[in-house]
């Protein structure tokens, strides 16, 4: 994808950020047979009716273990940054890597690791803050599954035209970066929150580069890699709160163990969730799938307020 970018403008005092055209983030560029087989009509119906869906066997056990090994090498090199020093609400370690500047959808195994930020809508996210380039074929393989989810959702929606689903995703785009996160154990957790909280629209959710802003998120997709995980012993479950609890009934939730090969999809602006205290290292790869509208409204090099 990087070859389709225009030449960067002459540097000025104000940084410029690149927003790809809709053609550059078209989900059809990241076709994944694995994602197509995982996001079935039944899975999409559950995502629409319940707000979330749990999909098993997205990865083989061997691939999940290999991803963990590569991710841990990132941690050993110091690429993962603790976010607890700026917030009391979460205590994980994260690293972002670009999906557009590496040609990941074209089969590349070299990942552009971005310098870390604890602000998830930071304007530098999406490729402007290169930290290093790492060849990680197993992480790349897992990333390609997440990159295939937008097209798989839209493909199933097209097949379900005329259905009475409570939710239909708007046109989706490819995420411009993915986040690898590790809860290192010792009770590390993340309090209840929404990935795209519309009630906080005036608190920065639409700041930053279009396509990477919190307010652009439509679907959250999370892949887990934790071998032989036992929630009763290891904790670390993703607690998902059911958004459609009938009036007068107690709030319902589902605890999802972060077991290796498990894929979780949920509506970013609807499903509140939290990570329960983890008692051993807990790894996850997350994609926030944006609406295509973000790229239709802004294209090319822009400066931010």
């Amino acid at each position: 994808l990087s070859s389709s970018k225009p030449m960067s403008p002459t540097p000025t005092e104000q940084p410029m950020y690149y927003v790809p055209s809709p053609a550059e983030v078209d989900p059809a560029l990241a076709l994944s047979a694995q994602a197509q087989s995982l996001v079935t009509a039944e899975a999409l119906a559950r995502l629409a009716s319940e707000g979330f869906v749990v999909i098993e066997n997205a990865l083989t056990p061997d691939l999940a273990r290999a991803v963990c090994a590569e991710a841990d090498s990132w941690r050993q090199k110091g690429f993962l940054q603790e976010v607890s020093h700026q917030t009391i609400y979460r205590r994980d370690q994260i690293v972002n890597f670009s999906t557009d500047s590496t040609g990941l959808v074209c089969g590349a195994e070299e990942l552009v690791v971005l310098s870390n930020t604890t602000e998830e809508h930071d304007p530098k996210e999406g490729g402007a803050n290169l930290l290093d380039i790492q060849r990680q074929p197993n992480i790349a393989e897992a990333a390609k599954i997440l990159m295939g989810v937008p097209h798989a959702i839209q493909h199933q929606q097209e097949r379900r035209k005329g259905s009475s689903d409570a939710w239909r995703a708007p046109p989706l785009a490819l995420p411009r970066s993915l986040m690898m996160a590790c809860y290192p154990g010792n009770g590390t957790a993340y309090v209840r929150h929404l990935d795209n909280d519309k009630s906080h629209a005036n608190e920065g959710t639409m700041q930053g580069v279009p396509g990477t802003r919190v307010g652009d998120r439509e679907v959250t997709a999370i892949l887990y890699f934790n071998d032989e995980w036992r929630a009763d012993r290891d904790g670390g479950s993703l607690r998902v709160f059911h958004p459609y609890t009938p009036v007068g009934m107690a709030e319902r939730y589902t605890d999802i163990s972060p077991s290796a090969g498990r894929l979780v999809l949920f509506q970013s602006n609807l499903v509140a969730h939290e990570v329960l205290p983890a008692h051993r290292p807990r790894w996850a790869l997350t994609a926030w799938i944006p609406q295509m509208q973000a790229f239709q409204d802004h294209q090319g090099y822009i400066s931010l307020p």
Side-chain angles (χ1 to χ4, degrees), residues 1 4-6 17-25 100 126 174 176 209-212 292 294-301:
L1 291 182
S4 62
K5 289 186 180 181
Y17 301 94
Y18 182 71
V19 180
S21 69
E24 293 175 82
V25 290
D100 60 350
L174 295 175
R176 297 192 64 203
V209 178
T212 69
M292 181 63 79
F295 301 97
Q296 294 170 337
D297 292 342
H298 305 273
Q299 297 177 39
Y301 284 93

Side-chain angles (χ1 to χ4, degrees), residues 17 86 90 94 96 115-126 129 177 179 190 194-197 200-217 288 302 304-305:
Y17 301 94
Q86 288 197 9
R90 58 187 291 190
I94 65 169
N96 296 295
S115 60
N116 290 311
T117 172
T118 56
E119 295 295 327
E120 295 178 26
H121 55 268
D122 188 281
K124 294 181 180 179
E125 185 177 86
N129 50 342
S177 63
M179 183 184 76
Y190 195 164
L194 287 167
D195 282 353
N196 178 2
D197 192 343
H200 295 157
N202 295 322
E203 298 181 16
T205 59
M206 295 306 289
Q207 293 180 2
V209 178
T212 69
R213 302 169 299 191
V214 170
D216 295 326
R217 298 171 180 173
W288 289 289
I302 65 169
L304 298 176

Side-chain angles (χ1 to χ4, degrees), residues 10 38 43 55 82 84 93 100 104 117 119 121 127 135-136 154 176 180 183 188 205 247 256 270 276 287 296:
T10 302
L38 294 168
I55 301 170
E82 293 186 12
S84 59
Q93 302 170 350
D100 60 350
L104 179 62
T117 172
E119 295 295 327
H121 55 268
R135 185 180 185 277
Q136 304 286 11
Q154 296 191 153
R176 297 192 64 203
M180 182 70 76
Y183 291 80
T188 46
T205 59
V247 176
I256 303 167
L270 182 69
L276 301 182
Q296 294 170 337

